Amino acid sequence: MKTRNLLLLILLSLNLQLFAQTLSPDQLQADFALFRKVLQEVHPQMYRYTSKQQFDSLFAATQACLNRPMTQHEFYKTMLPLLVSLRDGHIKWIVSGKDEHYPFFTDSLFPLKLYFVGEKAWVAANYGDSQIPEGAELVSINGQSINSIKQTLFPNMTFSDGYTVQGKYEDLNHFFSGYYATHYGAYATFDIVYTLNGEEKKATIPAVTEQQIKDYVQAHKPASQLPLRLAIDETKTAVLTIERFWDDKKEQKYKPFIKDAFRQLKKENIQHLILDVRNNEGGNEPFGVWLYSYLAKQPFRYYDHIKVARKEKYSFHAWVPKIYTKVIRKYMLKKTDDGYVFTFPKGLKTSKPKRNAFGGDVYVLINGNSFSVTTEFSARVHADGRATFVGQETGGGYRTNSSGMFTILQLPHSKIDLGIPMFGFHMANVPDYIRHGQGIEPNHTIVPTIEDILTKKDPILTFTRQLIQSKSTFAAPSSGPVPSK
């Protein structure tokens, strides 16, 4: 027993030493220099939203801060403003071996699941035993207002393209406890102020662990459903749900499902199609092109061009997909006046509508987690005026999306993994009025309330059905004379 206790003390001592270990200025400067080199050689358009002059100033200011020893945590936070300035939701900055949302603290986490709208947040669930009433509005944590906390976190969150913010709201709704710990620290208890039925109350609530949060999420998962679903109701309105743009051999094959779904829509003579791509964070680019070919009414170009940073080999060692180094870099990159472009993808060529392409009215449901390939697809639909959009702005950018393949490098001293998307996808025929850095903005913005969240109501789908019904009623021929008053 004494030997076992001694071993535990030794292991604990080693862990504490690792946690408290600092990086020297020389180590920090070396990781910083490599970080900068990797961004400049890999990212397809580093200066898309932040000019080179602005970036040079940011790099200089950041480098000047690395003149003293820092912990891994301090270095991680010091570098975040550079990553956020890319305004690229695909960028990865992950402490090696850690969950990206809980990089430093796995115990002593904030115990409430929150739902954010604007400057406010409500309690959506208790991860532990605090039993704060669901639906209560949270006013402050440890003396700081919810809005001030949000204002601190937003500039340090990377999950959004361009100037969109809805993806950040979605991230806070799912991972607030991790973000709070990273930027405010871990506490055994939290002093909160909340209001319920107009009455302000105070409470001190105990922390939870990362495992408790994950156990709660697992226990409260919605009933299992296939990720690709088609439902046709008695009004002959179809709802096509696409939760992801990739194949899973254990579940469904994407292309055969889409082909069969649109064959059925034609057979049933469906005139109204609701396409639900909320919470679909993307997948394989060709799958978006494939789906749009079943909605298009005329030949179309999906992409205008696809940017890459360079054709030369990188000046550093990193993980790069073999198909890129063996095939794409050698045979599929073309030099232009504006750098290199990727020439192979089918979406660059003119595509024709499929045989069973849907010709009726389309309604696309979107939110902040509609991202990457989902946003590209939505942009093509929107640019061609092919659908009415309902919900909230996408987290992905309308004009451009950086994704495709990733170069991944671990900084040698800080042991933080940097993942950079290698292709910049530019959508074709984007309307001139689309602002630089915006997402796909819905024709009808519908924001679920905390009551909707708690009662599992879907106001976005309900509104869309009502929209279809009102349109059908308005368009329907009169069955007789209108009675006089």
Side-chain angles (χ1 to χ4, degrees), residues 74-326:
E74 290 175 309
F75 179 68
Y76 174 96
K77 293 202 297 180
T78 299
M79 302 297 281
L80 268 176
L82 292 168
L83 294 163
V84 174
S85 294
L86 289 169
R87 297 189 179 277
D88 181 348
H90 279 88
I91 203 77
K92 306 298 180 187
W93 183 237
I94 304 174
V95 176
S96 183
K98 297 293 186 71
D99 185 304
E100 64 176 306
H101 295 106
Y102 304 95
F104 298 102
F105 301 100
T106 57
D107 300 323
S108 303
L109 297 172
F110 189 71
L112 302 179
K113 177 178 173 61
L114 301 182
Y115 176 63
F116 283 81
V117 176
E119 299 177 355
K120 297 183 178 183
W122 290 265
V123 177
N126 288 262
Y127 293 129
D129 301 323
S130 54
Q131 297 183 350
I132 301 299
E134 294 180 350
E137 181 185 338
L138 193 62
V139 176
S140 66
I141 303 173
N142 291 343
Q144 289 191 291
S145 73
I146 281 296
N147 188 47
S148 69
I149 293 171
K150 190 206 79 173
Q151 294 294 342
T152 295
L153 297 181
F154 261 38
N156 290 290
M157 298 173 68
T158 60
F159 186 61
S160 69
D161 283 347
Y163 303 107
T164 66
V165 297
Q166 198 57 44
K168 295 186 179 185
Y169 278 107
E170 294 289 348
D171 237 23
L172 282 187
N173 292 342
H174 289 88
F175 307 110
F176 174 80
S177 298
Y179 281 114
Y180 186 90
T182 297
H183 294 282
Y184 283 91
Y187 299 86
T189 60
F190 299 84
D191 295 326
I192 66 169
V193 177
Y194 65 95
T195 61
L196 186 66
N197 299 324
E199 183 181 354
E200 185 172 282
K201 299 184 178 184
K202 297 181 180 180
T204 299
I205 53 179
V208 294
T209 66
E210 176 189 349
Q211 191 58 53
Q212 282 179 279
I213 293 175
K214 291 183 175 180
D215 286 346
Y216 175 90
V217 172
Q218 181 64 32
H220 291 81
K221 271 188 174 182
S224 180
Q225 298 185 82
L226 291 172
L228 309 175
R229 304 185 295 277
L230 176 66
I232 300 175
D233 65 19
E234 65 280 358
T235 68
K236 289 295 183 176
T237 295
V239 179
L240 178 59
T241 302
I242 308 291
E243 292 186 356
R244 65 190 186 203
F245 284 104
W246 75 80
D247 278 332
D248 186 326
K249 294 180 181 179
K250 296 179 181 179
E251 292 180 336
Q252 296 165 293
K253 284 286 189 179
Y254 178 84
K255 287 188 175 182
F257 172 85
I258 296 298
K259 185 176 181 179
D260 289 344
F262 281 90
R263 184 187 295 125
Q264 185 175 350
L265 294 180
K266 187 170 185 178
K267 180 180 178 181
E268 297 281 345
N269 194 30
I270 301 301
Q271 296 303 310
H272 302 286
L273 172 62
I274 299 173
L275 182 56
D276 191 350
V277 291
R278 290 173 294 175
N279 302 313
N280 182 335
E281 294 187 19
N284 298 327
E285 284 82 8
F287 285 10
V289 183
W290 176 268
L291 179 57
Y292 186 62
S293 67
Y294 279 97
L295 297 177
K297 290 188 173 182
Q298 58 189 13
F300 65 93
R301 285 189 68 216
Y302 199 80
Y303 300 121
D304 182 79
H305 63 282
I306 302 171
K307 292 277 294 182
V308 293
R310 56 188 281 160
K311 189 171 184 177
E312 302 83 4
K313 290 184 178 180
Y314 299 143
S315 63
F316 51 85
H317 178 71
W319 182 88
V320 184
K322 285 186 178 180
I323 190 172
Y324 182 80
T325 57
K326 302 290 186 182

